[in-house]
Amino acid sequence: MKLRCAVIEDFQSVATTVVDWSPVTTDVEVVTFTGHLATEDEQAAALADFDIVVTLRERVPFPAALFARLPRLRLLVASGMRNTVIDYAAAERHGVVVCGTASSSTSPLELTWALLLGLARGIVPESEAIRTGGPWQSTLGADLHGRRLGLLGLGKIGGRMAQVGRAFGMDVLAWSQNLTKERAEEAGAALAASKEELLESSDFVSVHLALSDRTRGLIGAPELALMRRGAYLINTSRAAIVDQDALLAALHAGAIAGAGVDVFDIEPLPADHPMRTAPRLLATPHLGYVSRANYELYYGQAVEDIRAFLDGEPVRRLP
């Protein structure tokens, strides 16, 4: 009898078409779920009859309580090599092997610039005006050349942000709690003396930090108040790094020129969530990792993970 594999969060219905699953389909029946499993009860009911689950990013938590409700589960494959919503100790107790995949930083980098440029040049309102017979030219674009790009975090994505910013002729400033002057200069950025200096002096602030106890709520009402009224905030990292209520208040008050956001406190966003109607906000539904090349990487290596597990030699084990 074949094992059963659930591929969840396949919103675009592409998981089984972007890569070749034939290396495992002789032994495994693959079933995709195109909707969101929002609660533990929904997850337990949907996944109870599966031996393998392939999960996308960190939208569906796998705590100890869920593992206890999935006695048939033997392999959990997560996209990326870091996942903060899986209880690895519980997985081990329940005999579940957890494996990951590689993940490219190119896709979130490109989306960050799409949001930044879209905000700076008013792309959405200008395009909508053309489609609806609105005014011909109604916004005054914000220039990038000669302006300051402030980067909160200078890791893999932040470092590449600095390179692109310099290519646009921007002055690049960076800060994080452990960032050194040498690392900043190596990436083509200057080291800000403090988070406050970066926020006060930047025209565009982009968040590129991992979520941790130190970074949760790092940008709240006091920090947003430091930003220039003509400045923009971009967050394609983790929603909890920026206080969502404080950001909404700043946008409604016009305290900053705008924000580009790809991550939210609840995903998918409920229909009545205030982020859906906030002014001065360019929002996308967590598209940072959603690109053909990244999906080919995720699902291609998921197939490899499953094949290796079936052969008794699991690869890319987490944590």
Side-chain angles (χ1 to χ4, degrees), residues 161-193:
M161 284 291 297
Q163 295 173 356
V164 177
R166 287 176 60 86
F168 274 113
M170 302 183 81
D171 170 41
V172 183
L173 191 65
W175 178 88
S176 67
Q177 289 175 320
N178 295 321
L179 184 62
T180 64
K181 181 175 182 289
E182 292 72 24
R183 165 59 189 150
E185 290 177 349
E186 180 184 331
L191 176 65

Side-chain angles (χ1 to χ4, degrees), residues 17-262:
T17 59
V18 293
V19 300
D20 179 14
W21 286 74
S22 65
V24 300
T25 50
T26 299
D27 305 296
V28 177
E29 175 192 1
V30 180
V31 179
T32 61
F33 290 79
T34 58
H36 178 53
L37 302 175
T39 69
E40 185 180 299
D41 285 343
E42 291 175 355
Q43 295 151 17
L47 304 177
D49 295 328
F50 289 91
D51 310 276
I52 302 166
V53 172
V54 177
T55 183
L56 194 60
R57 305 306 296 151
E58 298 174 318
R59 192 170 292 118
V60 175
F62 279 81
L66 182 57
F67 281 114
R69 299 174 70 176
L70 300 176
R72 184 166 163 175
L73 183 62
R74 288 295 171 261
L75 173 65
L76 177 62
V77 179
S79 59
M81 291 301 293
R82 180 171 62 182
N83 191 302
T84 62
V85 299
I86 295 173
D87 186 329
Y88 295 105
E92 185 175 2
R93 287 197 305 273
H94 288 278
V96 179
V97 174
V98 184
C99 297
T101 74
S103 181
S104 171
S105 61
T106 298
S107 180
L109 169 77
E110 292 175 351
L111 183 78
T112 303
W113 280 103
L115 289 172
L116 193 155
L117 288 164
L119 282 169
R121 299 308 298 268
I123 298 300
V124 172
E126 295 288 7
S127 177
E128 188 64 20
I130 285 181
R131 290 179 173 273
T132 60
W136 184 260
Q137 299 183 355
S138 61
T139 62
L140 187 62
D143 297 285
L144 271 60
H145 186 85
R147 300 300 189 269
R148 172 165 286 179
L149 172 63
L151 298 172
L152 291 170
L154 201 63
K156 185 183 296 185
I157 297 176
R160 295 180 67 186
M161 284 291 297
Q163 295 173 356
V164 177
R166 287 176 60 86
F168 274 113
M170 302 183 81
D171 170 41
V172 183
L173 191 65
W175 178 88
S176 67
Q177 289 175 320
N178 295 321
L179 184 62
T180 64
K181 181 175 182 289
E182 292 72 24
R183 165 59 189 150
E185 290 177 349
E186 180 184 331
L191 176 65
S194 64
K195 173 183 65 176
E196 290 74 18
E197 181 197 13
L198 183 143
L199 293 169
E200 289 172 341
S201 65
S202 296
D203 301 289
F204 299 88
V205 175
S206 193
V207 180
H208 301 285
L209 294 163
L211 180 61
S212 67
D213 291 339
R214 294 193 307 174
T215 62
R216 187 179 300 274
L218 186 73
I219 306 299
E223 289 76 19
L224 290 166
L226 295 173
M227 293 179 64
R228 301 171 177 178
R229 290 187 71 87
Y232 297 88
L233 175 69
I234 315 295
N235 186 12
T236 58
S237 183
R238 291 292 183 269
I241 296 173
V242 179
D243 184 300
Q244 303 288 281
D245 292 336
L247 177 58
L248 282 167
L251 291 171
H252 280 282
I256 60 175
V261 173
D262 186 49

Side-chain angles (χ1 to χ4, degrees), residues 24 52 54 75-81 97-102 297-318:
V24 300
I52 302 166
V54 177
L75 173 65
L76 177 62
V77 179
S79 59
M81 291 301 293
V97 174
V98 184
C99 297
T101 74
L297 186 59
Y298 288 164
Y299 291 119
Q301 291 197 356
V303 172
E304 294 175 2
D305 289 350
I306 294 169
R307 184 69 263 168
F309 172 80
L310 295 174
D311 293 339
E313 299 180 352
V315 295
R316 291 186 283 267
R317 296 189 67 160
L318 296 177

